[in-house]
Amino acid sequence: MSKSDFFSHLTAARVHGLPLPFAVERTQTLDVSTEAPALRDRVCGIRGHHVAPKTIAVVEVQGLRVTSAVDTWCQLSTVLGLDDLIRIGDALVRRRHPFAVMGDLLAAVRRYSGHRGVKLLREALIWIRPGVDSPRETDLRLLLVRAGLPEPEVNGVILNRMGVKLATGDLVYRRYRVLLEYDGGQHRTDEEQYHWDIDRLDNLMEDTWRVIRINKSHLRTRPALVIRKVQTALRAAGWQPDPRLARAQKVPD
């Protein structure tokens, strides 16, 4: 690589630590971009790209020159699908140490107008929410909303009637006192975390919250069960679907 080259696309996404689908996460090909007018020579293991001068922000991460996280997201619109772009977008505006705010994503999509993939970016922008902690939270939220359920609050702080914090809930239906918790591996392998979770969930249930725990197996193999559980809990708390807003999506089996 010359001094004017920088990593971009999938390679930049891996350097930034953005969530990628397994199929492309393992690719060995490096994406390298340049603003130089001459076309890059073909090199085995390198996928070359040319970008117009001063249209891409280049930053240094771990000693490597890479496209900025937001520009990387825009570039990936030509190689990834809608849900992958939503997961990455959620990661950009995540709760802890975000790369950007929603205004940055909107501005980037506007700058990207006229490029291949911009329509997909605009659609992804509709679904992206700030404050998410993991791609699985994104997947769960999309599953529920696309099934016609109300949109939950992302990582909402829950207080008891005395104003004491009980939890930061992954997905919260505050009006109906229904909480969805995504149970990641650390909840089982970390003994201290496990015992803390038990006390926390007990406190929530004592405060009349309905807690539904979801794991990756539910999302991967039993999404219809997840939808039914949440729908049942919401209906028990008084929610009724609005027939005017009923969606035609088929609930996955």
Side-chain angles (χ1 to χ4, degrees):
M1 287 179 58
S2 71
K3 292 182 179 181
S4 63
D5 295 343
F6 47 89
F7 293 112
S8 62
H9 296 76
L10 293 171
T11 304
R14 290 199 296 273
V15 173
H16 284 296
L18 299 176
L20 292 172
F22 182 80
V24 299
E25 175 70 38
R26 300 297 180 176
T27 181
Q28 299 298 311
T29 302
L30 298 177
D31 287 296
V32 178
S33 288
T34 182
E35 294 179 348
L39 293 176
R40 293 188 54 82
D41 294 332
R42 292 182 180 273
V43 178
C44 181
I46 292 181
R47 185 166 39 233
H49 307 271
H50 177 261
V51 298
K54 298 182 180 180
T55 60
I56 296 290
V58 178
V59 298
E60 187 170 302
V61 180
Q62 299 177 10
L64 301 174
R65 282 168 45 81
V66 299
T67 49
S68 72
V70 173
D71 280 322
T72 299
W73 174 66
C74 291
Q75 291 176 329
L76 293 177
S77 63
T78 62
V79 294
L80 296 180
L82 174 62
D83 284 4
D84 293 322
L85 293 174
I86 297 171
R87 292 184 195 100
I88 294 172
D90 275 3
L92 292 175
V93 292
R94 62 196 182 194
R95 184 162 65 107
R96 297 186 179 94
H97 311 297
F99 292 91
V101 297
M102 288 298 296
D104 297 325
L105 302 191
L106 177 60
V109 172
R110 287 173 175 165
R111 290 197 307 271
Y112 214 67
S113 180
H115 288 72
R116 185 166 64 94
V118 69
K119 289 184 179 179
L120 207 56
L121 289 174
R122 288 171 180 154
E123 187 173 357
L125 198 58
I126 295 172
W127 293 96
I128 292 168
R129 298 292 180 270
V132 175
D133 277 341
S134 76
R136 299 293 78 81
E137 288 179 15
T138 300
D139 292 343
L140 180 55
R141 174 173 57 84
L142 293 178
L143 174 69
L144 298 174
V145 175
R146 287 170 175 171
L149 299 179
E151 180 162 349
E153 179 183 346
V154 175
N155 282 303
V157 175
I158 297 174
L159 307 177
N160 67 13
R161 291 174 175 82
M162 302 298 293
V164 177
K165 180 179 176 180
L166 295 177
T168 298
D170 292 344
L171 297 177
V172 179
Y173 289 105
R174 193 174 299 277
R175 177 178 177 182
Y176 305 103
R177 301 184 76 79
V178 173
L179 166 64
L180 276 64
E181 289 278 277
Y182 181 78
D183 188 0
Q186 78 278 5
H187 294 265
R188 297 184 304 276
T189 58
D190 186 327
E191 185 174 356
E192 183 176 346
Q193 174 76 43
Y194 176 75
H195 291 300
W196 186 82
D197 280 344
I198 290 176
D199 292 339
R200 182 173 63 97
L201 294 176
D202 281 347
N203 291 336
L204 285 163
M205 288 185 284
E206 285 179 7
D207 203 50
T208 69
W209 279 84
R210 169 71 167 96
V211 180
I212 302 174
R213 302 183 73 173
I214 309 296
N215 60 40
K216 65 180 180 181
S217 176
H218 293 132
L219 287 180
R220 185 174 63 249
T221 64
R222 294 185 289 172
L225 175 62
V226 173
I227 293 168
R228 284 196 295 272
K229 278 187 174 183
V230 177
Q231 186 179 63
T232 298
L234 291 175
R235 283 183 178 275
W239 173 76
Q240 290 292 329
D242 186 340
R244 296 171 300 175
L245 301 177
R247 301 190 179 194
Q249 289 97 331
K250 181 179 182 294
V251 175
D253 296 325

